[in-house]
Amino acid sequence: MGEIYRRTDMCGALCLKDAGREVVLNGWVAKRRNLGGLIFVDLRDKTGIVQVTFDDKASRELLDRADSLRSEYVIGIKGVVKERSAKNDRLGTGEIEVFARDMVIYSSSETPPIYIKDDDNVDDNLRLKYRYLDMRKPHMQRNLSFRHRICKIARDYFDENGFTEVETPILIKSTPEGARDYIVPSRVYQGEFYALPQSPQLFKQLLMVGGTDRYIQIAKCFRDEDLRADRQPEFTQIDLEMSFATQDDVIEVQEGFLKRVFKECMNIEIETPFPRLSWEEAMERYGSDKPDIRFGFELKKLNHLFENCEFKVFTDCLEAGGDIRGICVDGGSAAFSRKDIDKLAEMTKQYGAKGLIWIRVNEEDIISSVHKFFSQEELKKIALEFNAAKDDIIFLVSDKAKVTFDSLGFLRRECAKRMGLLKDDEYKLLWVVDFPMFEENDEGAVTATHHPFTHPKCEDIHLLDSEPLKVKADAYDIVLNGVELGGGSVRIHERELQEKMFKVLGLTQEECEEKFGFLIEAFKYGAPPHAGLAYGLDRLVMLLLGEASIREVMAFPKNQNAQCLVCGAPAPVEAVQLDELGIGLKQEDIRS
RNA sequence: GGCCAAGUAGUUCAGUCGGUUAGAAUGCCAGCCUGUCACGCUGGAGGUCGUCAGUUCGAGCCUGAUCUUGGUCGCCA
């Protein structure tokens, strides 16, 4: 083992004030420029890059070694900081350079398979395979340290507010509601399995019963579902629970937290309290339970205009109990060509919309894809409903309520995006509250919108038996620019109410006992009223950094097929290991 | 599982109507170069055009299948 230079400074931290100082730096060679007898090396560490200069005051031997440097060699430098004669204002340390007196080469490097530069555009899988190279990029280092800062603020802030960080178990029991569980076989009890937690939900509620009063955890969670740009199978929540707390209490504490995150991480003062929208209002106005309120284009229900119209598509839809809703995109007629509109119509199809009707408002007349069925008078009436002006375009969708919400909700955002209205330095936070307690799934069964531990609104409890779909819940989501940052609820702490909930959801006594018996049991012994919330940490970081993918804010994310390209997981295991677990595999199931 | 897009040099891409030896940039290697910072100049190496099959005198290009990847819908209590 050779000598390791004892570092005095970080590369990116050096500035004009340091001129004249002797410094010792360690880092990677980002770039070597040999001008013949004068060699520059850009030295990189996690804080940035500084130029190291080897000139004729260095020995021949040192110059030769400097000449032998290649990209990504790991070196140490002893040298003197000097003000530059030719400054580089594109480099943070561009006012100075370090004249090398001595150098140690710790490691050489083969030519890296990817460029280590922020503005490159390398295939995602190469980046993930060589993540340890990819993360040398300044923006990856920035993202990781930004993520760390948010975690630190969370720990500090919640600590100051009386929260205790508690770790909950990773090996738990499978409760196959909601997302698929990751399953871990037990060796000791063959044929039995642990599951990895989808969230610490039940355990944090037990912590409340256990008198922890206020709990926080930066918790790894696991869901075996398909991936998306903002969804990974293993992700991190900032998970919280408070005893003796109402919805307002939780919201107040969280607004304080987010205010601090924005102040300390973004240097932005955000106004509290955040606006609150009921779920119903969010859906009616924005077609989404996580609305982006940075722009308008609000939805309107137009059933009343079309009850006696000539257009069979509309009348049939209304008779079938569907709705006709629309949005008016200000300036959209001027912004979108016929081709653009066709594209938009095509895109709304994935949300179930069978067709997209457009109405262009011009100076004199109104042009529409359904002009055959409507007079100018009638079209003007529609335009009036939206207060539409020249150059605006109105889009209409008729279908089941859900389809109109989904497709128009998508459309308003897509139009805003195409018109450049989504400014990434604008942050609009809001709470969506009063979620419905239950939803009906395709088979007509009643399922919990949030989860079965959510407290129904007290005034709706009497509807649980008769009209469960009308019951609203004390559940709330925090939404930022159209992204759900987190969600939570007041929990049920009454054993009888919890049992009733399970019953409404169609769980038998045995199933309840089997799945959640331990929680019901705990509620027998004095459960405090409690409420909580969990943030998707990855999404929060991603949004604040303006990253398009959750992978940019995780050190070692999985690719879309849930593989870890760094280590090669998932992978087969030795037959011996399976034997120990009592697991046999069907040959045809094995991926070759 | 459905839909959309992509796959050509280490990397990012171009490749016209199916036609000579598949190009560029960057990176890499060698030489020259004392103020560069995307250093410059000269030269060089580097290709299973994802894979398989088909059409054709001839396929990077057309057809089919398949694999891989990204995005998305379903899914994500």
Side-chain angles (χ1 to χ4, degrees), chain A residues 493-528:
Chain A
H493 69 282
E494 308 97 323
R495 184 161 52 104
E496 300 76 19
L497 184 57
Q498 186 65 71
E499 282 172 346
K500 181 156 204 162
M501 282 295 301
F502 289 144
K503 207 172 129 202
V504 175
L505 289 167
L507 283 120
T508 64
Q509 193 75 41
E510 294 78 48
E511 283 173 316
C512 295
E513 193 54 42
E514 165 69 19
K515 286 177 178 168
F516 309 113
F518 60 101
L519 186 70
I520 305 267
E521 170 87 2
F523 283 178
K524 288 181 189 167
Y525 300 104

Side-chain angles (χ1 to χ4, degrees), chain A residues 463-479:
Chain A
L463 295 169
L464 274 175
D465 291 315
S466 51
E467 298 180 279
L469 291 173
K470 286 197 176 157
V471 176
K472 294 270 186 288
D474 278 323
Y476 34 86
D477 278 1
I478 177 73
V479 175

